Structure formats: structure tokens, C-alpha cells
Amino acid sequence: QVQLVESGGGLVQPGGSLRLSCAASGRIFRIDGMAWYRQAPGNQRDLVASITTTGSTNYADSVKGRFTISRDNAKNTVALQMNSLKPEDTAVYYCQVAAQALGVFRTTTYWGQGTQVTVSS
């Protein structure tokens, strides 16, 4: 019904930057909230940042001032600009979208496949 494809992960040195992107496609009627989560080995999956349809944002305390979430409603995409990266940012990052598919009369949460971000010298 709705597919999410992420891109932009990789290896970066401490202090560097990466930009993650997530594109939603399929039988989309409406997309509501969009967000990025991350999960480090042995840890639970935690919210990194979220954005509403009107552009209101919310960030985890650990990334405030370093990460910026944005969305393009016309293209059904969400991005995460990550600056001043630290080794503790190392994790698999997942895109999450709340969307209503065509012919489905409820909002469903969809997840991307995850993209690895490694911050190391």
C-alpha cells in the first residue's frame, strides 16, 4: 500500500554531516506525521525527530541544535540533516510515516527498511 525508501546513511567522522532522505510511494491518499527513529545495538528504537503536516517539529534532547527534520508534502518525502555528528549517534535510522492508503479508511504507521549511520574516526 505505502512503501518507504530511505537513503543517505554511511560512515562519517565525528563532527561531520550526513543527510538522510525517505520517499513514500504507493497508493497514498494522505500522509500525516513523519518522523525519524534510531536504534543502536542492544537498545530500543527511539524517536529522533518528528514533523507534522504543518511543519511543527519535535526533537530528542540529544540531537537538538544539531539535527533538522524537514518534509516536502508535494513529493511525499522527509529528510533529516545531521550536523556535528558524534559517535553516540551511531545507529540504524528508520523513517516512519503515518499515512492513509487509498481505499483504507484508517491511518496506518509505516516503517522504512533502515539505513546505517556510523560515526567513527
Side-chain angles (χ1 to χ4, degrees), residues 31-36 47 49-59 69-73 77-79 96:
I31 293 180
D32 296 326
M34 307 180 87
W36 288 94
L47 176 69
S50 64
I51 185 167
T52 67
T53 54
T54 57
S56 295
T57 58
N58 180 56
Y59 296 93
I69 189 172
S70 60
R71 65 188 286 171
D72 185 329
N73 292 330
T77 59
V78 60
Q96 183 209 62

Side-chain angles (χ1 to χ4, degrees), residues 23-72:
S25 62
R27 295 172 51 82
I28 299 171
F29 175 69
R30 186 185 71 243
I31 293 180
D32 296 326
M34 307 180 87
W36 288 94
Y37 283 73
R38 67 185 179 187
Q39 186 169 21
N43 290 356
Q44 64 182 18
R45 190 175 297 187
D46 293 323
L47 176 69
V48 176
S50 64
I51 185 167
T52 67
T53 54
T54 57
S56 295
T57 58
N58 180 56
Y59 296 93
D61 288 342
S62 60
V63 307
K64 283 181 180 177
R66 301 188 297 122
F67 291 10
T68 302
I69 189 172
S70 60
R71 65 188 286 171
D72 185 329

